[in-house]
Amino acid sequence: MGLNEKPLSTLHEKASFDLADFDVPTGREEAWRFTPLSRLKGLHNGKAEANGKVVAVAFAPEGVRVETVGRDDERIGKAYVPADRVSAQAYTSFEEALVVTVPKEAELAEVISIQVKGRGGDGAAYGHTVIVVEPLAQATVIIQHEGSAVYADNIEFVVGDGASLKVVSLQDWDDDAVHVSHHHAQLAKDATFQSFVVTLGGDLVRLSPSVSYTAPGGDADLSGVYFVDTGQHLEHRLLVDHSQPHCKSNVDYRGALQGERAHAVWIGDVIIRVEAEGTDTYELNRNLILTDGARADSVPNLEILTGEVAGAGHASASGRLDDEHIFYLQARGIPYDEARRLVIRGFLGQLIEKIQIEEIRERVLSAVEAELAR
């Protein structure tokens, strides 16, 4: 498949399955200027040979089809076309894909769990996953990333007419891991998609969630929490492409940073095309910088090409702990360290409470507590 030019946004100019359509990034491009290319272990320039080991296993309730398929399966690439060189490299290099299908009108009482485990950082690995929720079905998917790896992958979420999909993606890699991933959700008529991203581990993680609509009535809610430690680079780049009328989107990402060279990057792009009348969208990013030497880059972008919108806005804020909040708690007998933990826990916990799966919610809260205890 050839090059698909998308000139409306300078950040998303092209999409192609052909690796040759993408130049090797130099770091001067807008899409790559925040990413330390030297730490990508060759994922961006073709030097990362596919001889690493990452295993992805799905556990699903009865009635859900789980398949391992070859590259020629017609469901692969149906919803998403790679949008940068690493995404195209992952598409070109994977050998087998995981396809999970939730049948029409199914209402799953149990979650679908996908466990992705890296078996070592020697050599790179590439993956592809397709999750299809057929019309009027309802499902919840948990994707957990663990271990040591150099890994690039693409995940396609295909949500059918009137269907509902909730996804929790947990990046809990070992300290040396490198992970570059694209998550794309394609929403049909009146489809609902809820994504919750939790990024804690890894040396460098660059995650790009995106949403597109194929018919009116789609509703996407994208939330995320990240905690960045000394030397970590955690990057989230979101795109919501409103190309259908009367669709909704809401984005809320929050992060905390501590330690020298802790670096968080959040890019939020929303495009409202001419034909997307009645769009209702809002995006928010907030960062709490806990120590000197930490840095947060936050760039919300809103491109509106029609005057007929129901609502459109964005906001971004990065700052330190509020001394008044700490003083308020200390004045009531709470020691400084505990007061600090309470404020941070409250800042992130407002979002974490949206995770409806108790086991995962408690795991995330425990992980944040562990970060605060360092």
Side-chain angles (χ1 to χ4, degrees), residues 33 38 42 282 341 350 368:
R33 68 185 179 98
S38 61
Y282 192 82
R341 280 196 295 270
Q350 289 178 328
V368 170

Side-chain angles (χ1 to χ4, degrees), residues 17-39:
F17 292 101
D18 189 347
L19 183 63
D21 285 331
F22 298 96
D23 295 332
V24 174
T26 65
R28 293 186 294 272
E29 303 85 357
E30 180 62 32
W32 292 99
R33 68 185 179 98
F34 292 113
T35 308
L37 299 180
S38 61
R39 292 166 61 179

